[in-house]
Amino acid sequence: MTQDRLILLNLKNYSQSVGDAGLELARTVDQVADETGANLVIAVPTPDIHRISSEVRLPIFAQHVDPIIPGASTGFILPEAVQKAGAVGTLINHAEHQLKVSTINATIKRVQELSMRTVVCANNPRTSLALAMLGPDAVAVEPPELIGGDISVSTAKPEIITDTVEAIREHSPGVQVLCGAGVKNGADVKKAVELGSDGVLLASGVVKHEDPRAVLLDLISGL
Ligand code: G3P
């Protein structure tokens, strides 16, 4: 991951973020990134990776991949396949797609064999530290109970961020720390950065907003 502070937008699978709607949203994010020079990354639904990566210059992440190699497997997501489709990285272990630690470890290794980037999601400071020890590029700490809500982690549970940052800075200093859940505006981003995070991971604050461009510009103001 570049050392610039970043905003990683997870499109998830909302009706506003898949298919044509997802492409339109990606174009908006791309335009804002061009205008502002901000470090914006989007994690898109697997079926849309190729189409979106063909249309925008933004770094594109997968939302999940499986730790498999090319060969006889069915219905799993091959890291090489999403790379060929245009992804440069992936989320791993999102709260909405949780994995066993052994699977997380195997996935990080497989993805890093392809020189792709890994952002592993965790639900609290202890799991953040444990997963940081597996050597991803970044850990994104997100209290599940705040995901999709109106109060951001930096307001509701700032200690989650500071405890995660302190632990990872001490034990895995090469791993970036993102935070997420309920992030909605520039003030949330500013507070998250002040608490020590390298950026934010968010979804509904942009995807479900009536004016994604406006809220993106506000979020960037907090970096
Ligand atoms: O992947 C980020 C997501 O879990 C946070 O969701 O809607 O609270 O920004 P949201």
Side-chain angles (χ1 to χ4, degrees):
M1 301 291 282
T2 61
Q3 291 311 310
D4 296 343
R5 293 189 185 122
L6 84 147
I7 293 175
L8 177 44
L9 174 63
N10 179 7
L11 299 192
K12 296 196 176 181
N13 287 299
Y14 290 106
S15 53
Q16 302 96 319
S17 63
V18 296
D20 292 344
L23 176 58
E24 203 46 48
L25 179 54
R27 285 177 176 145
T28 300
V29 182
D30 197 34
Q31 283 163 3
V32 171
D34 273 349
E35 289 169 19
T36 62
N39 187 7
L40 306 182
V41 177
I42 55 174
V44 310
T46 305
D48 295 329
I49 291 175
H50 182 261
R51 185 181 183 203
I52 289 177
S53 67
S54 308
E55 296 257 343
V56 305
R57 285 172 300 286
L58 280 172
I60 305 297
F61 270 40
Q63 295 175 359
H64 167 82
V65 295
D66 294 291
I68 57 173
I69 58 173
S73 58
T74 302
F76 293 93
I77 302 175
L78 178 72
E80 282 85 346
V82 300
Q83 185 176 49
K84 289 179 194 308
V88 296
T90 185
L91 297 179
I92 301 171
N93 190 51
H94 190 276
E96 293 150 359
H97 194 142
Q98 295 183 46
L99 305 170
K100 295 186 297 186
V101 173
S102 58
T103 305
I104 297 168
N105 188 44
T107 305
I108 292 170
K109 288 185 174 9
R110 265 280 35 231
V111 172
Q112 289 181 340
E113 283 168 3
L114 303 176
S115 302
M116 291 172 70
R117 301 299 188 231
T118 52
V119 175
V120 174
C121 299
N123 61 343
N124 64 42
R126 287 169 63 87
T127 50
S128 296
L129 177 57
L131 296 178
M133 305 294 267
L134 301 179
D137 294 285
V139 168
V141 62
E142 293 193 305
E145 68 277 12
L146 298 178
I147 291 176
D150 294 324
I151 304 176
S152 78
V153 58
S154 44
T155 300
K157 296 196 170 184
E159 70 283 357
I160 292 267
I161 302 171
T162 50
D163 291 352
T164 298
V165 168
E166 281 167 23
I168 292 179
R169 292 282 184 269
E170 181 179 351
H171 297 288
S172 297
V175 176
Q176 283 192 296
V177 178
L178 306 179
C179 64
V183 173
K184 291 289 183 290
N185 54 47
D188 294 336
V189 174
K190 185 169 186 290
K191 182 77 180 292
V193 169
E194 286 169 352
L195 292 168
S197 65
D198 298 303
V200 296
L201 172 60
L202 80 162
S204 58
V206 175
V207 173
K208 296 170 76 174
H209 196 281
E210 62 186 7
D211 186 348
R213 174 185 166 78
V215 71
L216 279 166
L217 290 169
D218 183 36
L219 289 163
I220 290 165
S221 72
L223 284 177

